[in-house]
Amino acid sequence: MKKKSQKKITGYCLITGASQGIGKAIALELASRGISSIAISKEFNELELLKNKIISKYNIDCKILCKDLLNPSSYTEIYDFCKTNNLKVQILINNVGIGYSGSFQETSINFDDNLVRLNIMPMIQLTKLFLPELKKFDKSYILNMSSLGSYRPIPYKALYSASKSFIYSFSKSLYTELKSESIQVSVSCPAGVYTNSAVVKRINASGNIAKWTSLYVNIVASYIIYSMFRRKSVIIPGIGAKVLLILMKIMPEAFIRWLLARNMKKNDKQN
């Protein structure tokens, strides 16, 4: 994929969950294309490191804002920050979220509540708030981060896969609603992504299929942004993930659930 500067992008890209993982890699990918960003995370030190790297390496502006998106007031605070500082958002990337592997019975009510709220509510609220701003551009973008797990229920990732199914459904519906307007809505559905040690451990615990379809985060970020600018409504990085999706659609759902559950149990015992 050949990179090129995006001359039609004159505004900022707002990215949630930007201090690490896919969000951080996307911020760096956009900077390499000459696009300024507003990086949101609750990890201030990591945001500072990202900002300094973008400015020193690419000489591109990067605003940072430390917010905990589990706090409902954070959405309007982010919006007000952009308005007060005259930061015009042309790209909105709803990336923040958490994942896990394990039995639903073993997680706490507090953890379950946080997972659902963090994976879903920032996307809904920030999209609602920034839609009028995005409409002011001749061409603007919304990118929501789902997962290949959104296509089928995944035992031992029950809430995670359900939350990603919500993101996929919401994104496809919004894509159709806004298709005749200037806003392109895309949803990315990667398989495993090697981002940090905790994620590597989860991927390894998920078995050979997960390892075969997983990619390094910089490759995933580059493909996602490339596809977003090509106005793809659904973005699935990697040949392995695309092949797996075809198999998932061909095979009966009950068989897939049984296979995934057996695989997860087997690898949980080994680890």
Side-chain angles (χ1 to χ4, degrees), residues 58-188:
Y58 299 106
N59 195 29
I60 294 294
D61 191 21
C62 176
K63 309 295 185 186
I64 59 174
L65 186 60
C66 189
K67 291 293 175 184
D68 184 353
L69 292 175
L70 283 172
N71 184 344
S73 65
S74 64
Y75 315 133
T76 53
E77 289 168 358
I78 291 169
Y79 179 77
D80 291 342
F81 171 82
C82 294
K83 294 292 286 185
T84 300
N85 292 280
N86 196 31
L87 304 175
K88 302 183 187 303
V89 175
Q90 191 173 358
I91 305 171
L92 173 62
I93 298 182
N94 294 304
N95 166 72
V96 70
I98 53 176
Y100 78 102
S101 295
S103 170
F104 175 72
Q105 301 177 69
E106 296 174 358
T107 54
S108 68
I109 291 175
N110 183 61
F111 177 84
D112 295 343
D113 181 66
N114 285 345
L115 184 147
V116 172
R117 288 196 295 126
L118 191 61
N119 287 12
I120 292 174
M121 292 310 299
M123 174 187 68
I124 295 173
Q125 298 294 343
L126 291 175
T127 300
K128 178 75 76 173
L129 286 167
F130 281 97
L131 265 177
E133 306 303 315
L134 293 166
K135 285 184 176 181
K136 294 177 182 179
F137 290 90
D138 292 335
K139 186 180 292 185
S140 57
Y141 302 85
I142 297 172
L143 172 67
N144 296 327
M145 197 61 60
S146 183
S147 164
L148 200 66
S150 65
Y151 285 89
R152 288 290 184 268
I154 302 180
Y156 301 98
K157 288 189 176 184
L159 270 185
Y160 173 78
S161 61
S163 70
K164 293 301 183 178
S165 293
F166 182 98
I167 294 169
Y168 178 86
S169 177
F170 173 79
S171 302
K172 292 290 285 181
S173 297
L174 196 62
Y175 166 81
T176 301
E177 288 186 30
L178 299 175
K179 192 173 182 179
S180 61
E181 303 190 42
S182 62
I183 304 172
Q184 166 67 28
V185 180
S186 300
V187 58
S188 181

Side-chain angles (χ1 to χ4, degrees), residues 1 3 21-22 24-26 28-29 193-195 215-225:
M1 294 174 292
K3 291 185 183 181
I22 295 178
K24 178 181 178 180
I26 283 175
L28 292 169
E29 174 66 23
V193 182
Y194 294 115
T195 53
L215 297 170
Y216 287 99
V217 66
N218 60 315
I219 297 173
V220 171
S222 179
Y223 183 80
I224 287 173
I225 296 305

Side-chain angles (χ1 to χ4, degrees), residues 26-38:
I26 283 175
L28 292 169
E29 174 66 23
L30 289 168
S32 74
R33 293 169 177 260
I35 299 171
S36 300
S37 59
I38 306 164

Side-chain angles (χ1 to χ4, degrees), residues 148 212-213 236 238-249:
L148 200 66
W212 174 61
T213 57
I236 301 176
I239 296 174
K242 291 181 175 69
V243 172
L244 181 58
L245 179 58
I246 293 171
L247 294 175
M248 288 167 64
K249 290 181 176 181

